[in-house]
Amino acid sequence: MYDGLEGMGQSGGRVETVLGWFEKLGSGALRTPGVTFGVMGGGLAVGYQAGLTNIEGGAATHAVAETGKVTLNISGGYNVAVAGGSIALASGPDTALEYPPLASATTNGVEMNVSGGESVGLMGGGFVSFVGTNEPAQTVQAKSEVKGDTKIKVANEGTKVDGLVGGGWSFDDSNSSNTNVLMHSENVSITLGEGTLVSKVSVDALGMHDPSNIEADKPGVRTVAKEILSTFDEAQIAVLGGGIASGVNATDKAGTQVDSVTITHNGTIDGNVYGGGLAQMGGFSSTGTSEITLSAGSVVTGDVYAGG
């Protein structure tokens, strides 16, 4: 994939930067024997347009990835960075506004059943990114959706999860006056069974302990990595019902959207619980409604917030 993206020129190179960044973020996990790193339930759409002023005057792609219902069953092992949705990556201008997004990925429902082992960084949605060039982009150009229900169930005595996110993650590296990404999930439900343990996300396990080693020659990407690291540490996030929005979104349009969140807790949570989402560095994360139920006998060592 990297070889193909290298040939895309300016825009493709920026998309490759995002993919390479994730490879660096997971470098610690990748070097550890017995670790499963980077499981994506949905598909991948990569669309770009080179630095042109007219979309009809040169090459452009409109990539579409559609996936039916995704079911992920995790019964054991040590698993890092697991997501149920799809990835959409795009770069380039949108001077011809009648055209669709450069990259669009759809997943028709997600079910994640975690019944054993330890999972670090569990996310129900997908990932979407638009990396801007010098040209203006006024509309959503990278879009990933999970339609219908996202159901995350953690069950059985001794099952561990470090960092659980119900929605997805958007990264908008473009014009601050517009929102060029959309990560949308409809209905998210998270059920934590008796005897299960959900803890604060382990940034060490994600290979993010020293962000100075992540794209040091590209301050923008390095800055985002530092913000992610500090935010997860400071907010002590164990469960986040909504999604994550990084980068800069317009004030009137969220880059990450979740319509509804339901969290039912019967086990132990070591950290904080947020019914809503997380916004970083000018991001806009929106959650329609959230409902949190703490059953008798359940334990939360941190705080519980209905919002984000």
Side-chain angles (χ1 to χ4, degrees):
M1 177 181 292
Y2 293 136
D3 292 340
L5 290 170
E6 286 176 349
M8 290 184 177
Q10 180 183 8
S11 298
R14 297 292 298 278
V15 173
E16 189 214 2
T17 296
V18 173
L19 292 172
W21 173 39
F22 274 99
E23 183 179 45
K24 290 175 184 291
L25 292 182
S27 59
L30 289 170
R31 290 193 299 267
T32 304
V35 173
T36 299
F37 175 80
V39 177
M40 180 66 61
L44 169 66
V46 180
Y48 86 104
Q49 182 182 339
L52 304 172
T53 58
N54 188 327
I55 197 169
E56 296 178 344
T61 60
H62 301 283
V64 177
E66 293 188 359
T67 306
K69 181 181 177 181
V70 168
T71 302
L72 292 175
N73 298 315
I74 301 174
S75 59
Y78 191 82
N79 315 288
V80 178
V82 180
S86 298
I87 298 175
L89 306 175
S91 181
D94 65 342
T95 52
L97 299 181
E98 71 272 17
Y99 283 81
L102 291 172
S104 178
T106 302
T107 309
N108 291 286
V110 170
E111 184 174 339
M112 305 178 78
N113 301 304
V114 186
S115 58
E118 183 170 1
S119 298
V120 181
L122 195 68
M123 187 168 69
F127 175 76
V128 57
S129 176
F130 180 85
V131 285
T133 58
N134 293 326
E135 309 88 350
Q138 302 173 27
T139 60
V140 170
Q141 287 298 292
K143 178 181 180 181
S144 179
E145 287 190 284
V146 178
K147 295 184 176 180
D149 296 331
T150 298
K151 298 180 179 180
I152 304 173
K153 300 177 182 178
V154 183
N156 294 343
E157 183 82 26
T159 301
K160 298 180 180 179
V161 175
D162 302 333
L164 194 162
V165 178
W169 182 5
S170 70
F171 174 43
D172 195 349
D173 180 17
S174 60
N175 190 338
S176 62
S177 61
N178 300 292
T179 298
N180 302 129
V181 296
L182 176 61
M183 176 62 239
H184 177 228
S185 302
E186 292 186 2
N187 308 310
V188 171
S189 66
I190 299 170
T191 304
L192 309 177
E194 294 182 8
T196 61
L197 172 63
V198 179
S199 302
K200 300 178 290 290
V201 66
S202 171
V203 293
D204 287 335
L206 292 173
M208 296 171 63
H209 184 71
D210 184 7
S212 63
N213 293 328
I214 302 172
E215 297 293 339
D217 59 332
K218 298 178 176 62
V221 175
R222 181 182 177 188
T223 301
V224 170
K226 284 185 175 181
E227 287 296 321
I228 292 171
L229 173 62
S230 62
T231 301
F232 273 101
D233 276 345
E234 293 170 7
Q236 298 290 288
I237 297 172
V239 177
L240 185 76
I244 303 169
S246 301
V248 181
N249 298 151
T251 57
D252 62 340
K253 188 175 182 63
T256 300
Q257 302 173 12
V258 177
D259 294 344
S260 69
V261 172
T262 302
I263 300 172
T264 304
H265 175 44
N266 302 286
T268 298
I269 295 176
D270 181 17
N272 293 338
V273 180
Y274 296 84
L278 168 66
Q280 301 169 310
M281 297 182 63
F284 183 2
S285 179
S286 170
T287 304
T289 62
S290 70
E291 178 181 338
I292 302 174
T293 301
L294 306 178
S295 302
S298 64
V299 176
V300 179
T301 64
D303 299 320
V304 177
Y305 302 91

